[in-house]
Amino acid sequence: MQQLSADYCLPPFSNYKQLNQTGPRIIERAEGVFVFDNKGNRLLDGMAGLWCVNLGYGRDELVEAAAAQMRQLPYYNLFFQSTHPPAMALSQKLAELCPGDLNRAFFTGSGSECNDTVVRMARHYWTSKGHPDKQVIISRHNAYHGSTMAGASLGGMDFMHAQGGLPLPNIEHIDQPYWFGEGQGQDPHSFGLERAAQLEQKILELGEDKVAAFIAEPIQGAGGVIIPPDSYWPEIQRICDKYQILLVADEVICGFGRTGNWFASQTFNINPDLMCLAKGITSGYLPLGAVMVSDEVAQVLIDADTEFAHGFTYSGHPAACAVALKNIELLESEGHVARVGEQLAPYLAEQWAKLAEHPLVGEARSCGFVAALELVANKQTMGRFAKSRQAGVVCRDICIGNGIIMRACGDTMIISPPLVMTIEEIDLMLTLIHRSLDQTASALGVK
Ligand code: PMP
């Protein structure tokens, strides 16, 4: 299998030379919150795949929903005056679930496609409203919005921009609200306000008449589970309202219960004009994304009385929509979102906070069912390791050896587990993480 990978496959986000030397891990099956490799090792999946398997693995109901739909209508599209029942049922359900007046869905196949859609839709919206100069989308350094040309441009990862001549024109970045990494010495409240104020400065610098939208993940995921200070989001909302800039919440990770509410926009009291959904919408069982659109934005698109020339072959794929509907039905009927909010997240937060006592950990933070640990070389000064990613990669590999999947973002270790964990599984996860931190500390000579 490793040879086949080397000979025939170029996997995403990989250094091919290095990967071909070690060979990828071979994951063969999964059940509940565990995945199993070809050697029979059981790994607790602290990342729910790629932040998506919210209902956990092995849910036959989702498999059956896909199979039944594929027997009935395996494929049809929403182009050229056609529609089909699963896409319409899901649109209606999403309108009911999503906050505010986000009542219409533009379906895509992924989070990246959602963000490409946002760029085109926001610009088309302002042009249709008679403001063709409002083209600039403001995003943030160290954001992640996907890998397509627009998604990677909106993202604020320099190493991604370096490949492919990005960002695209008319995309600007401001600093992120990353208190541990960039705000120490300042109180978090004023740091949050300061980082939000950069949005206002950027709008004034560019001119209000040039700015179409501000896009952000309510909690930055791939950037390292960056949970903004409480002061941040209210100020961002105020600025977007004041200057009439569309607010786009990229809830690709945060949606579908991750923060203990259906959407993080509810957790942070944000009122977005556009909201991007993917991943947890089907618990990752099939690829699907949706841009949720406010009534006001939708009305302008309707009144434009011209074709919105955008869409994907798999926009609203029937089997994916059927799985999403079943996934939402199970999240609702089994009460997972409320359970995370009321029981699991408070328990995880309490246990997670204790990891801050570890000599290697500078900060332990969590919100709902995402959490991060900042690894530091010197706990007194909060000094980082000399080489970036030095500790993260060591810790990640030790975690795997101990049967727990954590992800390393630089020297920030993160988790985003399935929402269906039991308290016993949370305890097991914490035990394995603690053990891995001890072993990482000895490997790195931290006492
Ligand atoms: N937005 C966010 C916030 C994400 O975390 C991701 C993927 N991790 C994406 C967009 C891109 O989604 P996809 O990989 O489905 O294109």
Side-chain angles (χ1 to χ4, degrees), residues 139-141 174-179 181-184 186 188-202 214 220 228-229 231-232 235-236 239:
S139 181
R140 304 179 301 179
H141 296 298
I174 58 172
D175 288 329
Q176 56 180 336
Y178 179 22
W179 178 80
E182 299 174 0
Q184 292 209 29
Q186 218 177 327
H189 183 85
S190 59
F191 175 74
L193 290 178
E194 193 181 290
R195 288 293 157 105
Q198 283 196 17
L199 177 60
E200 188 155 26
Q201 287 149 19
K202 187 57 99 179
F214 172 68
Q220 279 156 267
S231 56
Y232 183 76
E235 185 61 5
I236 292 284
I239 295 166

Side-chain angles (χ1 to χ4, degrees), residues 144-181:
Y144 189 82
H145 295 294
S147 263
T148 48
M149 295 293 274
S153 296
L154 293 171
M157 308 275 179
D158 293 340
F159 67 97
M160 290 177 73
H161 292 170
Q163 296 172 342
L166 302 178
L168 296 173
N170 286 326
I171 293 179
E172 297 274 337
H173 297 84
I174 58 172
D175 288 329
Q176 56 180 336
Y178 179 22
W179 178 80
F180 186 85

Side-chain angles (χ1 to χ4, degrees), residues 50-51 109-113 115 144-147 217 219 221-222 250-253 278-279 407:
L50 265 180
W51 328 76
S110 68
S112 299
E113 288 177 5
N115 288 319
Y144 189 82
H145 295 294
S147 263
E217 305 150 83
I219 294 173
D250 182 344
E251 294 235 20
V252 165
I253 284 178
K279 294 190 188 278
R407 175 161 159 182

Side-chain angles (χ1 to χ4, degrees), residues 147-322:
S147 263
T148 48
M149 295 293 274
S153 296
L154 293 171
M157 308 275 179
D158 293 340
F159 67 97
M160 290 177 73
H161 292 170
Q163 296 172 342
L166 302 178
L168 296 173
N170 286 326
I171 293 179
E172 297 274 337
H173 297 84
I174 58 172
D175 288 329
Q176 56 180 336
Y178 179 22
W179 178 80
F180 186 85
E182 299 174 0
Q184 292 209 29
Q186 218 177 327
D187 75 282
H189 183 85
S190 59
F191 175 74
L193 290 178
E194 193 181 290
R195 288 293 157 105
Q198 283 196 17
L199 177 60
E200 188 155 26
Q201 287 149 19
K202 187 57 99 179
I203 294 169
L204 294 173
E205 178 193 315
L206 295 164
E208 185 184 343
D209 52 339
K210 297 281 188 298
V211 182
F214 172 68
I215 183 168
E217 305 150 83
I219 294 173
Q220 279 156 267
V225 180
I226 293 161
I227 305 165
D230 289 345
S231 56
Y232 183 76
W233 272 113
E235 185 61 5
I236 292 284
Q237 181 74 60
R238 184 192 70 75
I239 295 166
C240 289
D241 291 346
K242 178 171 174 194
Y243 296 99
Q244 294 187 28
I245 304 302
L246 295 180
L247 175 53
V248 186
D250 182 344
E251 294 235 20
V252 165
I253 284 178
C254 292
F256 299 95
R258 183 57 54 202
T259 65
N261 290 300
W262 277 92
F263 302 99
S265 293
Q266 294 155 330
T267 305
F268 293 104
N269 206 12
I270 310 167
N271 185 19
D273 301 286
L274 299 172
M275 188 162 95
C276 299
L277 306 175
K279 294 190 188 278
I281 193 170
T282 59
S283 283
Y285 280 54
L286 282 179
L288 182 71
V291 179
M292 297 306 297
V293 180
S294 73
D295 285 345
E296 200 273 328
V297 173
Q299 198 56 51
V300 170
L301 302 180
I302 294 164
D303 292 343
D305 197 12
T306 180
E307 182 174 301
F308 180 41
H310 180 81
F312 308 99
T313 300
Y314 302 116
S315 287
H317 189 283
C321 290

